[in-house]
Structure formats: C-alpha cells, structure tokens
Amino acid sequence: MAEVKLTPNKEIDLKVEADVITPDEFAGKGKSEIEQLLVWQGPSQYPLSDFFDVEGEGGSSAEDTTIVINGDVSRVKLIGAKMTAGKIIVKGSTGMHVGSQMAGGEIVVEGDADSWPGMEMTGGVLHIKGNAGDHVGSAYRGSWHGMKGGRLIIDGNARSQIGGGMTGGEIIIGGSIENFCGIRQTGGLIVVKGNAIRAVGAEMSGGTIVIGGNIQKFTPGMQNEGEESDLEFEDIKCSGTFKKFRGDFAIAKNPKGIVYAGKETNPDL
Amino acid sequence: MVVKNVVCPVCGGSCEDIQVELKDNSITVKNACKMGNGKFQEVVSEHRIKDPMIKKDGKFVKVSWEEALDKAAEILANSRRPLLFMGSETSCEAQEVGLHMGEYLGGVVDSNATICHGPTCMGIQEAGLPTSTCGVAINRSDLNIYWGTNPLASMPRHMSKYGLFPRGYWTKRGRFDRKVITVDPRKTDTAVASDLHIQLQPNSDYELLNALLTILNGKTPHHSVEQVTGIAISVMEEMVDMMLEAKFGSINVGLGAGSSFGKHRNIEMALNLVKELNNNHGTKFRIGALRGHCNVAGFNQIATYLYGYPFALDFARGYARYNPGETSCVDLLREKDVDAALVLGADLVGHTPADSAKYLCQIPMVCIDIAPGPTPSGADVLLPGVIDAFECDGTFYRLDNVPVYFEPFTDSPFDFTKSNEDTMKQLFAKVKELKEKA
Ligand code: SF4
C-alpha cells in the first residue's frame, strides 16, 4: 500500500477548500503531480504544495492509497469528500465537511472535526476520535435525505442535527449530544452513549435511535411502547434496560421511528 | 407643501400612507407611528453624516468624494475574500448592485436576515411556505395568532393596518370578528389584548408546536411536554379547538419563534402545522413573518430570484453557494474567514456578537450610512448615505413579500450621489477599473 504524507507548512489565514485530498485523486500520481493539485482559498486557486509538504506518491488505485495528514488542518475543509476507497489518517483536527458524501474507504481523525462530517455519506467508515460539531451525517440544507450508508463513529461529543434526514447506515457517538438528533430520520441507526438535551427523533418516521443517558426535553410526539433489554443491532450491542417509544406522531399518522431511552437515566419519561 | 402617500422606511410594515410637510428645518409627519416618525426627523437632523471621510491614524478626516471612493474601491479590489453586507435600510436596487459586485469579486454577500429572520428563511426551505398577502388576512382571518412577537412594540401599526382591527369583506366588524391568541413567554401588551395567552417557557416553542401537531394527529402528547413548556395539555387542546373552529387563521411569527433555541426547526414545525390544518381539517390558515427592518424581505427576494438563495451567498467558486453557519456573516467574521468588508445601510457592529464585531473593526471596512453609530465609527472609509423613500425612489418588499415602489419627497442632499444605488454603481465601476488594471 502506497502512502502519501502531507505536512502543513504554514499557518492558514483564510480557510482552504481541499476536496482534492482523497485517495481517488492521489492514486496514480507522483509527488510533483500531487503537489500541483489545486485547492481553493476564497476565489483563488493555489497548488497543494503552497499549504503542505508532500512526501511519497499515490498507489496504483484509490484502494491502494493511504494519505496521512501530519498535523492540524482545522482550517482545511472537505478533506476526503466523495472518496470511494483507500484511507485517510488525520493526526490532528479537521475543518468542516470531512468525508462529506464519502462512498467508501476509511477516514480516521485523531482530533476533533468541525461541522458537517460525513454529510450524506453512502458508504465507508468515518471515525472521529475527538469531538464533532453540528450536522454529523446529516442532509444538506433543504435536502430531506441525509446519510444513506456506511458507519460514522465519534468517540467524543457531538452537537446538534445529528443524522438529519438519515435513511441508512449507523452513527455511534461515545459522548453526549445536544438538539434534534435524528431529525426527519427515516432509516438507519443512531446510538448515543451519553446524554441528549432536546428533540431526540423529532419528525422521524423510521429508523432507530438509542440514547443511553438522560434526555432533558423529550419529543412530545413520541408514544410509549413498553420496555426492552439488551438491544442488539447486528454487531452493535446496547446493554441495559430501555424505555421504548414510537414516533414522531406530530409528523405522521403512523410513524415507524423507534427511540430507546435508558430506563435508569430517564426516570421521568 | 404637504406630500401624501409617502412610504415609511422603518419597519417591514412599509406603511404607504404617510403625510409629510417639509419646511426649512423641520418636518411634520402624519399617520406614522412613533418609530416611523423618529426616522422622518432624521431628514432634518444635525447628526447626519454629510461628508465623505477616511480614517487616518485612527481619526476621521474629511476628504473629497473621489478620494473616498478610490480608497473604498482599493479596499475591495485588494481583498482576497470580501464580505459585502447589504443592509435592510436601503432599496433592492442598491442591494442588487452589491450582489453583482460580490459575484464579480468572488466574495460573500449577506444581509440582515442573517442576524434576524434567517432561520425563518431556512425553515421555509425545509417545509415550504403556505402563505398569503396581508390583504387576504384582512378580508378573511377570524383568528390571529401572534407567535413570539409583540407587534405593538416592533411593528406598531400591524394590528391596526394588517392584523386585528381592519374591516374586511368577510370581517366587517373588524376586531369583533376576530379572536387573538398570543404565544409569548412574556406578558406583553399584545398578550394582554388577546383572547388566549399561551405563556410558554422560553425556548420551548418547538415542543409546543410538536405537541399541537400530535393533538391534530389524534394522539395525546407525551406528558413531559407540560413540564417542558409550562403549558397544560388541556390548554393546548383548547388552542387546537380554537384553530379548528376558525374559518381562516393567520399566524404571525416573530423572532421569538425564529431565533429562540430550535431556530429554523421551530419555523419548520410551524409551517408543518399550517400545512396540516389546510390539508386535513376543513379550515384554512396562512403564516407570515413580522419582518423587523424595512427592506429585510427585499434582499431575500432578489437574492433568491437572482442567485437561488435568500442570504449568506458565497461566490468564491464563481457561482452562489449557501450554507448558514459557514457562509453567513457572523460565522465568517468569528472564524476570521474574510479580510475586508463593505457595510451598506445596517449597523452590523452593533448587531453581531462581540467576537465578530471586533474582527469586523480590525479588517479594512467601507461603510455607507446616514448617521453616526458603532459601524460608521469602526469603518476606514465612510461614505454618506442617502435616505431611501425620503430622498430617492426605489423598491422595498413589505413583510408579506409584496414589492412597494416608493418615491421621494425631497432630493439627495449631496451633489456627488443621487442614491445608495448610485453610490454602489459608482463604487462598482471603480472596483472593476482597478481589477482590470491589475
Ligand atoms: S408601522 Fe413600521 S412602516 Fe408603519 S409607520 Fe410604523 S415604523 Fe413605519
């Protein structure tokens, strides 16, 4: 497997859009060709080498190419956008839209990710070891269809609108979240180990959400359907007892969305 | 001489029945509310910015129009990513020049909706807008709902002109043919004048809307909603009954709905509520936003028909992209993702969060305004503004998105510009000249 190492070589002022940083683009290219790939900063385009020192060269195919970003790229957006295969390892934090619309391969972010990671992704694995911002795996503004497939794992916390419009795939969040998780969800699975503030599963009509911790403000359109213990969704297991709800009856007469809320952590529900 | 049918350029009401009499140093105004009158007095005010100015060593010095315009053009042409803020206190014609200049420079163009009813525009994008003009509401509505707004303070003539008191074709007795529900955490004057006041907990609008829809769908909302909203489910049911009894309901949302926590999701849910009432329950409803500033709706309209999005337009790639939170002015300033700004007809420094305002004052800024304030003080180049509807003609969009053409009752006080549109056109020509030279 060929490896390309990108080391940030200057402090970035205006944010950079680097949707060329994907194994698909790097595959079959030598060092100097990769250096000449163009990225956007405002309305101007510059070669990648203006922002990164490049070492190594791409493999024969995307599948065969690993990109290692050696440092903080929190002002670089769209890393790994639309990638279909191969691997990206970011040894720091990333800017917005990491893995946006990715279809395959793997991205590992060792730091935090800004908003919109894995927007409308259809396949592959996006693993963020730190925290993430808003719109994790969600639909673009005005679109009703978010993540369709693949797996999105966030070890830390994430904020609001997680899995908005989600139709398939899995989102697993180790920490806590804020508002409107699974808004307009119609399929797929969201598992949150920590707490949620508000509107979990709002306007959902399908799919499943599991919240292990406490939900501060529950969605009024949810109807109680008893309890279940030790949930299993193929390889994803959630141990303990959960209160089960169906909804959101605010948005449909016969919705099929399911929310599980930890029994002990939610005595008031 | 008394001039009639003058349009008021203060709030989204765009009242078009103002009478003015302008004498040497005074102006007498009839029909305008207090807010409107205040602005009309500006035309004879001593505070008016009368000279073009450039900041040198931290102090403003008066310069010629040409020098100020050259400096302004230089700031914009040299910028690697300019922010053009086309405020609501001016005409669509001036804003349109800003949009084209933004496209030409590959910059970002935004307007007051971004710090105001932007979430309402976003909610509309999610759910569609079942609406009508205010005229339809005047003739038909037998139920008025004021949600998160106190029009008696923010649009003082709304109730008398568009909302509550006007006598219409099917509402011949005016107020006596209408019921009023106010949804507001505070006991406002509007709430006191209502038949039902839903005094919900702050930031629980989404839960209340969700519960109302759940009731419409034949279910009882989850019991926790009483604690979250502070409203008993029985009271929510009473509200739903009032809505179902209405022949035609008019919901007027304010920033209490669009800018409390939940933002565009609150509006989306309110729109869903209106759709559900219209589709399945034998009644008809419309919804509209009470737009605060005079032409805040205008920018949304022209930006949408010219470039496809209502605000926060990023032209970096040569075509418009839109993503509030990323391409919106507050976020770009907070993230230091622009390096120069042009602010026309808005006090942006006074209305953005401190971090954003601070950065705005650090970068080169051109400001076009009529009177001193935080934004003019923070500018590097200050161009005197012309007052739309007083000193030049043009178009505003009213709160219900009806275009209102206005004519002036006096002239621009300057010999170097006829209107803000004129200023913007002169500036754009200079910017093009500089860019083409480079
Ligand atoms: S309601 Fe608004 S538009 Fe009408 S006079 Fe008052 S400020 Fe002017």
mmCIF file of all heavy atoms in Angstrom, chain B residues 353-398:
data_model
loop_
_atom_site.group_PDB
_atom_site.id
_atom_site.type_symbol
_atom_site.label_atom_id
_atom_site.label_comp_id
_atom_site.label_asym_id
_atom_site.label_seq_id
_atom_site.Cartn_x
_atom_site.Cartn_y
_atom_site.Cartn_z
ATOM 1 N N PRO B 353 -22.388 39.382 17.422
ATOM 2 C CA PRO B 353 -21.721 39.032 18.667
ATOM 3 C C PRO B 353 -20.353 39.736 18.772
ATOM 4 O O PRO B 353 -19.738 40.065 17.748
ATOM 5 C CB PRO B 353 -21.541 37.520 18.562
ATOM 6 C CG PRO B 353 -22.569 37.078 17.590
ATOM 7 C CD PRO B 353 -22.757 38.205 16.631
ATOM 8 N N ALA B 354 -19.906 39.935 19.995
ATOM 9 C CA ALA B 354 -18.707 40.750 20.237
ATOM 10 C C ALA B 354 -17.486 40.286 19.432
ATOM 11 O O ALA B 354 -16.778 41.118 18.857
ATOM 12 C CB ALA B 354 -18.393 40.755 21.723
ATOM 13 N N ASP B 355 -17.250 38.974 19.363
ATOM 14 C CA ASP B 355 -16.067 38.476 18.646
ATOM 15 C C ASP B 355 -16.107 38.884 17.177
ATOM 16 O O ASP B 355 -15.105 39.298 16.596
ATOM 17 C CB ASP B 355 -16.007 36.940 18.679
ATOM 18 C CG ASP B 355 -15.610 36.441 20.050
ATOM 19 O OD1 ASP B 355 -15.335 37.299 20.917
ATOM 20 O OD2 ASP B 355 -15.597 35.213 20.244
ATOM 21 N N SER B 356 -17.295 38.731 16.587
ATOM 22 C CA SER B 356 -17.454 39.049 15.168
ATOM 23 C C SER B 356 -17.314 40.551 14.952
ATOM 24 O O SER B 356 -16.649 40.994 14.005
ATOM 25 C CB SER B 356 -18.820 38.586 14.666
ATOM 26 O OG SER B 356 -18.994 37.216 14.932
ATOM 27 N N ALA B 357 -17.928 41.333 15.821
ATOM 28 C CA ALA B 357 -17.876 42.788 15.686
ATOM 29 C C ALA B 357 -16.435 43.280 15.821
ATOM 30 O O ALA B 357 -15.988 44.170 15.087
ATOM 31 C CB ALA B 357 -18.765 43.437 16.737
ATOM 32 N N LYS B 358 -15.706 42.669 16.738
ATOM 33 C CA LYS B 358 -14.317 43.083 16.973
ATOM 34 C C LYS B 358 -13.472 42.844 15.717
ATOM 35 O O LYS B 358 -12.713 43.715 15.292
ATOM 36 C CB LYS B 358 -13.774 42.264 18.150
ATOM 37 C CG LYS B 358 -12.477 42.778 18.696
ATOM 38 C CD LYS B 358 -12.127 42.045 19.976
ATOM 39 C CE LYS B 358 -10.641 42.120 20.223
ATOM 40 N NZ LYS B 358 -10.195 41.105 21.168
ATOM 41 N N TYR B 359 -13.639 41.666 15.127
ATOM 42 C CA TYR B 359 -12.854 41.362 13.921
ATOM 43 C C TYR B 359 -13.250 42.287 12.774
ATOM 44 O O TYR B 359 -12.392 42.740 12.012
ATOM 45 C CB TYR B 359 -13.031 39.889 13.533
ATOM 46 C CG TYR B 359 -12.203 39.500 12.324
ATOM 47 C CD1 TYR B 359 -10.812 39.465 12.396
ATOM 48 C CD2 TYR B 359 -12.801 39.189 11.108
ATOM 49 C CE1 TYR B 359 -10.037 39.140 11.289
ATOM 50 C CE2 TYR B 359 -12.040 38.850 9.994
ATOM 51 C CZ TYR B 359 -10.658 38.824 10.087
ATOM 52 O OH TYR B 359 -9.895 38.508 9.004
ATOM 53 N N LEU B 360 -14.551 42.581 12.681
ATOM 54 C CA LEU B 360 -15.031 43.476 11.625
ATOM 55 C C LEU B 360 -14.338 44.842 11.726
ATOM 56 O O LEU B 360 -14.003 45.464 10.712
ATOM 57 C CB LEU B 360 -16.551 43.630 11.735
ATOM 58 C CG LEU B 360 -17.250 44.541 10.722
ATOM 59 C CD1 LEU B 360 -17.036 44.057 9.299
ATOM 60 C CD2 LEU B 360 -18.749 44.629 11.010
ATOM 61 N N CYS B 361 -14.111 45.297 12.952
ATOM 62 C CA CYS B 361 -13.453 46.598 13.131
ATOM 63 C C CYS B 361 -11.944 46.510 12.895
ATOM 64 O O CYS B 361 -11.288 47.535 12.715
ATOM 65 C CB CYS B 361 -13.736 47.152 14.519
ATOM 66 S SG CYS B 361 -15.471 47.548 14.724
ATOM 67 N N GLN B 362 -11.413 45.293 12.908
ATOM 68 C CA GLN B 362 -9.968 45.149 12.672
ATOM 69 C C GLN B 362 -9.625 45.124 11.187
ATOM 70 O O GLN B 362 -8.559 45.566 10.781
ATOM 71 C CB GLN B 362 -9.451 43.860 13.318
ATOM 72 C CG GLN B 362 -9.299 43.972 14.826
ATOM 73 C CD GLN B 362 -9.150 42.611 15.490
ATOM 74 O OE1 GLN B 362 -9.099 41.580 14.807
ATOM 75 N NE2 GLN B 362 -9.091 42.606 16.799
ATOM 76 N N ILE B 363 -10.527 44.579 10.379
ATOM 77 C CA ILE B 363 -10.219 44.471 8.951
ATOM 78 C C ILE B 363 -10.629 45.776 8.247
ATOM 79 O O ILE B 363 -11.445 46.524 8.777
ATOM 80 C CB ILE B 363 -10.944 43.255 8.300
ATOM 81 C CG1 ILE B 363 -12.464 43.336 8.521
ATOM 82 C CG2 ILE B 363 -10.399 41.957 8.849
ATOM 83 C CD1 ILE B 363 -13.250 42.223 7.872
ATOM 84 N N PRO B 364 -10.063 46.049 7.062
ATOM 85 C CA PRO B 364 -10.471 47.247 6.338
ATOM 86 C C PRO B 364 -11.970 47.207 6.050
ATOM 87 O O PRO B 364 -12.473 46.199 5.547
ATOM 88 C CB PRO B 364 -9.668 47.157 5.034
ATOM 89 C CG PRO B 364 -8.549 46.217 5.318
ATOM 90 C CD PRO B 364 -9.037 45.272 6.358
ATOM 91 N N MET B 365 -12.666 48.299 6.411
ATOM 92 C CA MET B 365 -14.118 48.301 6.248
ATOM 93 C C MET B 365 -14.593 49.600 5.602
ATOM 94 O O MET B 365 -14.183 50.683 5.983
ATOM 95 C CB MET B 365 -14.800 48.143 7.602
ATOM 96 C CG MET B 365 -16.290 47.824 7.508
ATOM 97 S SD MET B 365 -17.347 48.689 8.673
ATOM 98 C CE MET B 365 -16.709 48.213 10.232
ATOM 99 N N VAL B 366 -15.461 49.443 4.610
ATOM 100 C CA VAL B 366 -16.103 50.585 3.967
ATOM 101 C C VAL B 366 -17.536 50.621 4.470
ATOM 102 O O VAL B 366 -18.193 49.578 4.523
ATOM 103 C CB VAL B 366 -16.124 50.406 2.430
ATOM 104 C CG1 VAL B 366 -16.782 51.608 1.770
ATOM 105 C CG2 VAL B 366 -14.725 50.172 1.896
ATOM 106 N N CYS B 367 -18.016 51.789 4.846
ATOM 107 C CA CYS B 367 -19.370 51.876 5.376
ATOM 108 C C CYS B 367 -20.138 52.984 4.653
ATOM 109 O O CYS B 367 -19.616 54.076 4.450
ATOM 110 C CB CYS B 367 -19.293 52.144 6.880
ATOM 111 S SG CYS B 367 -20.870 52.479 7.626
ATOM 112 N N ILE B 368 -21.370 52.660 4.265
ATOM 113 C CA ILE B 368 -22.250 53.676 3.677
ATOM 114 C C ILE B 368 -23.411 53.830 4.645
ATOM 115 O O ILE B 368 -24.174 52.877 4.869
ATOM 116 C CB ILE B 368 -22.784 53.227 2.295
ATOM 117 C CG1 ILE B 368 -21.619 52.879 1.362
ATOM 118 C CG2 ILE B 368 -23.674 54.303 1.691
ATOM 119 C CD1 ILE B 368 -22.034 52.265 0.028
ATOM 120 N N ASP B 369 -23.532 54.992 5.276
ATOM 121 C CA ASP B 369 -24.580 55.153 6.290
ATOM 122 C C ASP B 369 -24.981 56.615 6.405
ATOM 123 O O ASP B 369 -24.270 57.500 5.928
ATOM 124 C CB ASP B 369 -24.105 54.607 7.640
ATOM 125 C CG ASP B 369 -25.263 53.985 8.415
ATOM 126 O OD1 ASP B 369 -26.410 54.438 8.230
ATOM 127 O OD2 ASP B 369 -25.028 53.041 9.193
ATOM 128 N N ILE B 370 -26.111 56.829 7.085
ATOM 129 C CA ILE B 370 -26.635 58.197 7.154
ATOM 130 C C ILE B 370 -26.266 58.919 8.445
ATOM 131 O O ILE B 370 -26.218 60.133 8.484
ATOM 132 C CB ILE B 370 -28.171 58.215 6.988
ATOM 133 C CG1 ILE B 370 -28.847 57.403 8.108
ATOM 134 C CG2 ILE B 370 -28.575 57.692 5.632
ATOM 135 C CD1 ILE B 370 -30.302 57.763 8.290
ATOM 136 N N ALA B 371 -26.028 58.163 9.520
ATOM 137 C CA ALA B 371 -25.799 58.801 10.814
ATOM 138 C C ALA B 371 -24.727 58.050 11.593
ATOM 139 O O ALA B 371 -24.495 56.869 11.344
ATOM 140 C CB ALA B 371 -27.102 58.823 11.603
ATOM 141 N N PRO B 372 -24.062 58.717 12.535
ATOM 142 C CA PRO B 372 -23.004 58.060 13.294
ATOM 143 C C PRO B 372 -23.554 56.884 14.111
ATOM 144 O O PRO B 372 -24.725 56.868 14.463
ATOM 145 C CB PRO B 372 -22.503 59.152 14.246
ATOM 146 C CG PRO B 372 -23.041 60.420 13.729
ATOM 147 C CD PRO B 372 -24.274 60.109 12.958
ATOM 148 N N GLY B 373 -22.691 55.930 14.397
ATOM 149 C CA GLY B 373 -23.085 54.756 15.173
ATOM 150 C C GLY B 373 -21.893 53.839 15.241
ATOM 151 O O GLY B 373 -20.825 54.161 14.688
ATOM 152 N N PRO B 374 -22.045 52.680 15.881
ATOM 153 C CA PRO B 374 -20.907 51.764 16.032
ATOM 154 C C PRO B 374 -20.248 51.389 14.694
ATOM 155 O O PRO B 374 -19.027 51.369 14.595
ATOM 156 C CB PRO B 374 -21.530 50.539 16.695
ATOM 157 C CG PRO B 374 -22.724 51.065 17.407
ATOM 158 C CD PRO B 374 -23.233 52.212 16.590
ATOM 159 N N THR B 375 -21.061 51.087 13.659
ATOM 160 C CA THR B 375 -20.459 50.649 12.398
ATOM 161 C C THR B 375 -19.694 51.780 11.701
ATOM 162 O O THR B 375 -18.525 51.592 11.337
ATOM 163 C CB THR B 375 -21.514 50.014 11.465
ATOM 164 O OG1 THR B 375 -22.224 49.043 12.225
ATOM 165 C CG2 THR B 375 -20.889 49.352 10.264
ATOM 166 N N PRO B 376 -20.310 52.960 11.524
ATOM 167 C CA PRO B 376 -19.521 54.055 10.942
ATOM 168 C C PRO B 376 -18.237 54.329 11.734
ATOM 169 O O PRO B 376 -17.188 54.575 11.133
ATOM 170 C CB PRO B 376 -20.471 55.254 11.008
ATOM 171 C CG PRO B 376 -21.835 54.654 10.952
ATOM 172 C CD PRO B 376 -21.732 53.356 11.699
ATOM 173 N N SER B 377 -18.289 54.250 13.069
ATOM 174 C CA SER B 377 -17.069 54.516 13.851
ATOM 175 C C SER B 377 -15.985 53.494 13.564
ATOM 176 O O SER B 377 -14.799 53.809 13.632
ATOM 177 C CB SER B 377 -17.322 54.479 15.357
ATOM 178 O OG SER B 377 -18.550 54.991 15.652
ATOM 179 N N GLY B 378 -16.377 52.259 13.274
ATOM 180 C CA GLY B 378 -15.391 51.208 13.055
ATOM 181 C C GLY B 378 -14.849 51.176 11.634
ATOM 182 O O GLY B 378 -13.946 50.402 11.318
ATOM 183 N N ALA B 379 -15.425 52.027 10.756
ATOM 184 C CA ALA B 379 -15.062 51.956 9.340
ATOM 185 C C ALA B 379 -13.732 52.643 9.052
ATOM 186 O O ALA B 379 -13.243 53.448 9.848
ATOM 187 C CB ALA B 379 -16.163 52.600 8.502
ATOM 188 N N ASP B 380 -13.147 52.315 7.901
ATOM 189 C CA ASP B 380 -11.939 53.003 7.442
ATOM 190 C C ASP B 380 -12.281 54.037 6.385
ATOM 191 O O ASP B 380 -11.577 55.022 6.217
ATOM 192 C CB ASP B 380 -10.951 51.983 6.881
ATOM 193 C CG ASP B 380 -10.525 51.020 7.961
ATOM 194 O OD1 ASP B 380 -9.662 51.391 8.758
ATOM 195 O OD2 ASP B 380 -11.107 49.916 8.049
ATOM 196 N N VAL B 381 -13.363 53.744 5.641
ATOM 197 C CA VAL B 381 -13.858 54.724 4.681
ATOM 198 C C VAL B 381 -15.345 54.897 4.943
ATOM 199 O O VAL B 381 -16.084 53.907 5.036
ATOM 200 C CB VAL B 381 -13.653 54.259 3.223
ATOM 201 C CG1 VAL B 381 -14.206 55.293 2.258
ATOM 202 C CG2 VAL B 381 -12.195 53.987 2.945
ATOM 203 N N LEU B 382 -15.788 56.146 5.068
ATOM 204 C CA LEU B 382 -17.185 56.402 5.380
ATOM 205 C C LEU B 382 -17.799 57.226 4.250
ATOM 206 O O LEU B 382 -17.359 58.341 3.967
ATOM 207 C CB LEU B 382 -17.233 57.174 6.702
ATOM 208 C CG LEU B 382 -18.578 57.379 7.372
ATOM 209 C CD1 LEU B 382 -19.349 56.072 7.474
ATOM 210 C CD2 LEU B 382 -18.354 57.949 8.775
ATOM 211 N N LEU B 383 -18.810 56.637 3.593
ATOM 212 C CA LEU B 383 -19.484 57.342 2.500
ATOM 213 C C LEU B 383 -20.886 57.729 2.980
ATOM 214 O O LEU B 383 -21.621 56.875 3.475
ATOM 215 C CB LEU B 383 -19.588 56.433 1.266
ATOM 216 C CG LEU B 383 -18.260 55.885 0.717
ATOM 217 C CD1 LEU B 383 -18.515 54.835 -0.366
ATOM 218 C CD2 LEU B 383 -17.403 57.006 0.159
ATOM 219 N N PRO B 384 -21.275 59.003 2.846
ATOM 220 C CA PRO B 384 -22.584 59.431 3.327
ATOM 221 C C PRO B 384 -23.708 58.700 2.597
ATOM 222 O O PRO B 384 -23.663 58.553 1.375
ATOM 223 C CB PRO B 384 -22.619 60.927 3.003
ATOM 224 C CG PRO B 384 -21.213 61.318 2.726
ATOM 225 C CD PRO B 384 -20.514 60.116 2.230
ATOM 226 N N GLY B 385 -24.694 58.247 3.351
ATOM 227 C CA GLY B 385 -25.821 57.533 2.757
ATOM 228 C C GLY B 385 -26.952 58.481 2.409
ATOM 229 O O GLY B 385 -27.085 59.559 2.975
ATOM 230 N N VAL B 386 -27.754 58.050 1.446
ATOM 231 C CA VAL B 386 -28.948 58.794 1.055
ATOM 232 C C VAL B 386 -30.133 58.033 1.660
ATOM 233 O O VAL B 386 -30.122 56.801 1.690
ATOM 234 C CB VAL B 386 -29.047 58.847 -0.487
ATOM 235 C CG1 VAL B 386 -30.310 59.572 -0.927
ATOM 236 C CG2 VAL B 386 -27.805 59.515 -1.071
ATOM 237 N N ILE B 387 -31.149 58.755 2.151
ATOM 238 C CA ILE B 387 -32.267 58.060 2.809
ATOM 239 C C ILE B 387 -33.310 57.641 1.773
ATOM 240 O O ILE B 387 -33.957 58.480 1.140
ATOM 241 C CB ILE B 387 -32.917 58.933 3.897
ATOM 242 C CG1 ILE B 387 -31.844 59.454 4.866
ATOM 243 C CG2 ILE B 387 -33.973 58.134 4.654
ATOM 244 C CD1 ILE B 387 -32.385 60.337 5.978
ATOM 245 N N ASP B 388 -33.452 56.332 1.620
ATOM 246 C CA ASP B 388 -34.430 55.800 0.670
ATOM 247 C C ASP B 388 -35.839 56.176 1.128
ATOM 248 O O ASP B 388 -36.121 56.215 2.316
ATOM 249 C CB ASP B 388 -34.299 54.274 0.594
ATOM 250 C CG ASP B 388 -33.051 53.863 -0.159
ATOM 251 O OD1 ASP B 388 -33.108 53.805 -1.384
ATOM 252 O OD2 ASP B 388 -32.010 53.636 0.491
ATOM 253 N N ALA B 389 -36.703 56.413 0.169
ATOM 254 C CA ALA B 389 -38.103 56.786 0.373
ATOM 255 C C ALA B 389 -38.260 58.253 0.783
ATOM 256 O O ALA B 389 -39.356 58.786 0.743
ATOM 257 C CB ALA B 389 -38.823 55.888 1.374
ATOM 258 N N PHE B 390 -37.170 58.909 1.225
ATOM 259 C CA PHE B 390 -37.237 60.352 1.501
ATOM 260 C C PHE B 390 -36.587 61.121 0.343
ATOM 261 O O PHE B 390 -37.095 62.119 -0.125
ATOM 262 C CB PHE B 390 -36.463 60.724 2.770
ATOM 263 C CG PHE B 390 -37.004 60.140 4.048
ATOM 264 C CD1 PHE B 390 -36.339 60.358 5.250
ATOM 265 C CD2 PHE B 390 -38.168 59.390 4.070
ATOM 266 C CE1 PHE B 390 -36.821 59.831 6.431
ATOM 267 C CE2 PHE B 390 -38.652 58.853 5.256
ATOM 268 C CZ PHE B 390 -37.967 59.076 6.439
ATOM 269 N N GLU B 391 -35.388 60.627 -0.054
ATOM 270 C CA GLU B 391 -34.544 61.416 -0.949
ATOM 271 C C GLU B 391 -34.310 60.768 -2.316
ATOM 272 O O GLU B 391 -33.619 61.322 -3.149
ATOM 273 C CB GLU B 391 -33.193 61.677 -0.262
ATOM 274 C CG GLU B 391 -33.348 62.457 1.047
ATOM 275 C CD GLU B 391 -32.110 62.438 1.937
ATOM 276 O OE1 GLU B 391 -31.198 61.633 1.713
ATOM 277 O OE2 GLU B 391 -32.088 63.241 2.888
ATOM 278 N N CYS B 392 -34.804 59.547 -2.492
ATOM 279 C CA CYS B 392 -34.664 58.892 -3.791
ATOM 280 C C CYS B 392 -35.762 57.841 -3.935
ATOM 281 O O CYS B 392 -36.375 57.459 -2.949
ATOM 282 C CB CYS B 392 -33.286 58.235 -3.918
ATOM 283 S SG CYS B 392 -33.002 56.953 -2.706
ATOM 284 N N ASP B 393 -35.996 57.367 -5.153
ATOM 285 C CA ASP B 393 -37.025 56.346 -5.338
ATOM 286 C C ASP B 393 -36.399 54.954 -5.334
ATOM 287 O O ASP B 393 -35.172 54.812 -5.298
ATOM 288 C CB ASP B 393 -37.812 56.597 -6.630
ATOM 289 C CG ASP B 393 -36.963 56.368 -7.879
ATOM 290 O OD1 ASP B 393 -35.721 56.371 -7.752
ATOM 291 O OD2 ASP B 393 -37.531 56.195 -8.968
ATOM 292 N N GLY B 394 -37.238 53.950 -5.353
ATOM 293 C CA GLY B 394 -36.727 52.581 -5.334
ATOM 294 C C GLY B 394 -37.810 51.615 -4.892
ATOM 295 O O GLY B 394 -38.992 51.948 -4.894
ATOM 296 N N THR B 395 -37.392 50.394 -4.511
ATOM 297 C CA THR B 395 -38.351 49.346 -4.144
ATOM 298 C C THR B 395 -37.995 48.719 -2.800
ATOM 299 O O THR B 395 -36.837 48.385 -2.548
ATOM 300 C CB THR B 395 -38.346 48.228 -5.215
ATOM 301 O OG1 THR B 395 -38.412 48.824 -6.501
ATOM 302 C CG2 THR B 395 -39.491 47.265 -5.020
ATOM 303 N N PHE B 396 -38.992 48.567 -1.953
ATOM 304 C CA PHE B 396 -38.883 47.727 -0.748
ATOM 305 C C PHE B 396 -39.814 46.538 -0.935
ATOM 306 O O PHE B 396 -40.791 46.633 -1.670
ATOM 307 C CB PHE B 396 -39.397 48.462 0.502
ATOM 308 C CG PHE B 396 -38.608 49.658 0.939
ATOM 309 C CD1 PHE B 396 -39.257 50.734 1.549
ATOM 310 C CD2 PHE B 396 -37.235 49.699 0.797
ATOM 311 C CE1 PHE B 396 -38.551 51.838 1.980
ATOM 312 C CE2 PHE B 396 -36.523 50.813 1.237
ATOM 313 C CZ PHE B 396 -37.180 51.880 1.822
ATOM 314 N N TYR B 397 -39.545 45.446 -0.231
ATOM 315 C CA TYR B 397 -40.544 44.381 -0.116
ATOM 316 C C TYR B 397 -41.137 44.449 1.281
ATOM 317 O O TYR B 397 -40.404 44.494 2.259
ATOM 318 C CB TYR B 397 -39.914 43.003 -0.372
ATOM 319 C CG TYR B 397 -39.822 42.665 -1.835
ATOM 320 C CD1 TYR B 397 -38.861 43.271 -2.632
ATOM 321 C CD2 TYR B 397 -40.691 41.750 -2.415
ATOM 322 C CE1 TYR B 397 -38.772 42.966 -3.985
ATOM 323 C CE2 TYR B 397 -40.603 41.442 -3.762
ATOM 324 C CZ TYR B 397 -39.648 42.046 -4.546
ATOM 325 O OH TYR B 397 -39.563 41.754 -5.875
ATOM 326 N N ARG B 398 -42.475 44.450 1.331
ATOM 327 C CA ARG B 398 -43.191 44.524 2.590
ATOM 328 C C ARG B 398 -43.075 43.200 3.338
ATOM 329 O O ARG B 398 -42.612 42.210 2.778
ATOM 330 C CB ARG B 398 -44.662 44.808 2.254
ATOM 331 C CG ARG B 398 -45.426 45.559 3.277
ATOM 332 C CD ARG B 398 -46.762 46.001 2.694
ATOM 333 N NE ARG B 398 -47.635 44.862 2.402
ATOM 334 C CZ ARG B 398 -48.865 44.985 1.910
ATOM 335 N NH1 ARG B 398 -49.353 46.182 1.634
ATOM 336 N NH2 ARG B 398 -49.599 43.923 1.670
#
